[in-house]
Amino acid sequence: MEIIVNDTNIFIDLHSIGLLSQLCDLPYEIRTVDFVMAEIVDNRQQEDMGRLVKEGKITVESFTAEELIEIVNEHAAVSGNLSIPDCSVCYYARKHDITLLTGDRQLRRYAESHNLTVHGILFIFDELVAHSVISPEVAAGKLKELYSINVRLPKSEIQRRIDRWGNDT
């Protein structure tokens, strides 16, 4: 099973539209790091994430002291363009040669510059539909909902999917 590591914004976006649990229904081993978990401050999000962790659907990884030093050094080297949690998921993905999921443009560019495979929220929607976790109609509706609360997403790509999935039903 392919392993993917998630940045905070993916969890928050999916939670905000009621699809966090469905992420765990995909044929991936979902991981994150303790720095990401610390960024989740909303009580409801913490409860739902905690439940998924307890059920073994999301694995939270921690770092050794030596790894923390490397992460802090990496953070210092990027001149503040990325947060410590950003550097930590990038470090983890690079160390384990796994895919990184993020909606953060700066983190995406940084990770790609280190030859990591990076996907965003639209990849997750594509996978949810491809694996029949949700119907195309539900996906189109949830994408509309997500775009209404996160306008930084690529409108043309969202519209393309909404048009395609709306025609599938």
Side-chain angles (χ1 to χ4, degrees), residues 64-141:
T64 66
E66 294 81 17
E67 290 171 326
L68 288 173
I69 291 169
E70 289 181 49
I71 292 166
V72 169
N73 288 339
E74 184 170 352
H75 178 256
V78 296
S79 305
N81 289 332
L82 298 175
S83 68
I84 293 276
D86 291 341
C87 291
S88 71
V89 292
C90 191
Y91 175 87
Y92 187 85
R94 193 171 55 246
K95 180 177 179 183
H96 298 281
D97 193 26
I98 59 176
T99 299
L100 172 63
L101 294 179
T102 185
D104 182 308
R105 183 175 296 158
Q106 287 183 328
L107 177 54
R108 173 185 285 271
R109 287 181 182 154
Y110 182 75
E112 288 173 344
S113 76
H114 285 82
N115 300 312
L116 291 173
T117 301
V118 184
H119 296 298
I121 194 83
L122 296 180
F123 167 82
I124 295 168
F125 271 89
D126 292 343
E127 291 292 287
L128 289 170
V129 171
H131 293 284
S132 301
V133 175
I134 61 175
S135 70
E137 181 179 76
V138 168

